[in-house]
Amino acid sequence: EAQVTQNPRYLITVTGKKLTVTCSQNMNHEYMSWYRQDPGLGLRQIYYSMNVEVTDKGDVPEGYKVSRKEKRNFPLILESPSPNQTSLYFCASSPYRAGQETQYFGPGTRLLVL
Amino acid sequence: GQNIDQPTEMTATEGAIVQINCTYQTSGFNGLFWYQQHAGEAPTFLSYNVLDGLEEKGRFSSFLSRSKGYSYLLLKELQMKDSASYLCAVRDTTGANNLFFGTGTRLTVIP
């Protein structure tokens, strides 16, 4: 089954404790992206990657890191989480070429930083 | 920069038709997407427009006017399960497949 998976789905942590949210896709997509979703603000892009070893900042990259060592994986790293990073996070993937190819979203990770 | 506007909330009756509008101002345009998102779940793709006009897909249709920076999503024969948020997203022209999302319209279908 073609899908994007994220782990963990739910996470409660404390300020300053490093964490990683994993994202994996099995569709051989070149493009992957991380979003956060907050009430009243919609989906905002954190980082994206157009292929292995190619990453770039989105609209809200502060406090986050990413890596793309393999095509299928695109982990999101919070080196020192803060309460303002409490949010619902989505990973998405798509083929790189523009067209009517949509982005496929993972199920989401709900993060609470105390 | 990107600016995408949608109404925050709408209510409609089961069996009726509802139109959700989206206006956008973007530095580049390479397509407009509509997604459906149930509370706490991932967005799922509904429609794509890149040329002016209407695209129809069953009970859902989407319209685009590039000159007016305007799109709408039309939902016919509303069902209770259509209660969800509807997200308008514009793809830019940077070459990457980046999407910029509006804040979404929460639709409530009432009996």
Side-chain angles (χ1 to χ4, degrees):
Chain A
E1 180 191 354
Q3 61 182 348
V4 179
T5 57
Q6 295 178 226
N7 282 292
R9 295 288 314 279
Y10 304 91
L11 179 61
I12 301 175
T13 190
V14 294
T15 299
K17 186 176 181 182
K18 180 179 178 179
L19 67 91
T20 298
V21 184
T22 64
C23 173
S24 183
Q25 50 93 5
N26 62 1
M27 295 170 278
N28 200 37
H29 286 163
E30 295 86 3
Y31 178 93
M32 298 185 74
S33 181
W34 275 104
Y35 298 90
R36 60 178 290 173
Q37 188 173 37
D38 304 289
L41 295 177
L43 279 162
R44 295 179 293 167
Q45 189 179 50
I46 303 171
Y47 269 94
Y48 66 95
S49 169
M50 292 192 284
N51 215 324
V52 175
E53 301 292 0
V54 181
T55 63
D56 209 344
K57 296 177 181 178
D59 291 328
V60 288
E62 294 78 20
Y64 304 95
K65 286 174 60 177
V66 293
S67 68
R68 189 89 182 275
K69 294 187 173 65
E70 306 163 283
K71 198 172 188 179
R72 64 183 293 127
N73 296 323
F74 190 44
L76 179 70
I77 303 154
L78 285 71
E79 294 268 2
S80 182
S82 62
N84 65 12
Q85 293 179 297
T86 292
S87 188
L88 178 58
Y89 291 87
F90 289 102
C91 179
S93 75
S94 75
Y96 170 71
R97 64 190 180 280
Q100 63 178 322
E101 293 283 357
T102 183
Q103 291 190 15
Y104 297 87
F105 285 82
T109 296
R110 192 170 291 278
L111 172 65
L112 173 61
V113 183
L114 300 173
Chain B
Q2 323 288 343
N3 188 33
I4 301 167
D5 287 317
Q6 310 177 230
T8 303
E9 294 191 19
M10 297 182 73
T11 302
T13 305
E14 190 176 14
I17 299 172
V18 70
Q19 177 174 312
I20 302 174
N21 295 325
C22 172
T23 58
Y24 64 89
Q25 293 173 306
T26 58
S27 52
F29 178 83
N30 192 18
L32 187 143
F33 294 80
W34 283 95
Y35 288 83
Q36 181 190 61
Q37 185 180 26
H38 286 97
E41 298 183 8
T44 55
F45 170 74
L46 287 178
S47 70
Y48 168 75
N49 297 72
V50 67
L51 299 176
D52 291 350
L54 190 68
E55 295 284 340
E56 297 188 77
K57 261 188 174 185
R59 294 190 300 115
F60 295 80
S61 303
S62 58
F63 172 83
L64 176 67
S65 169
R66 289 172 296 169
S67 62
K68 295 181 179 177
Y70 168 68
S71 174
Y72 68 72
L73 180 70
L74 195 70
L75 291 76
K76 303 175 189 173
E77 301 168 15
L78 279 173
Q79 303 175 9
M80 299 300 291
K81 67 178 182 179
D82 296 330
S83 291
S85 289
Y86 291 85
L87 314 181
C88 172
V90 173
R91 181 166 56 201
D92 69 5
T93 54
T94 60
N97 198 10
N98 288 335
L99 295 179
F100 298 92
F101 286 83
T103 55
T105 299
R106 185 186 305 175
L107 174 67
T108 302
V109 180
I110 58 176

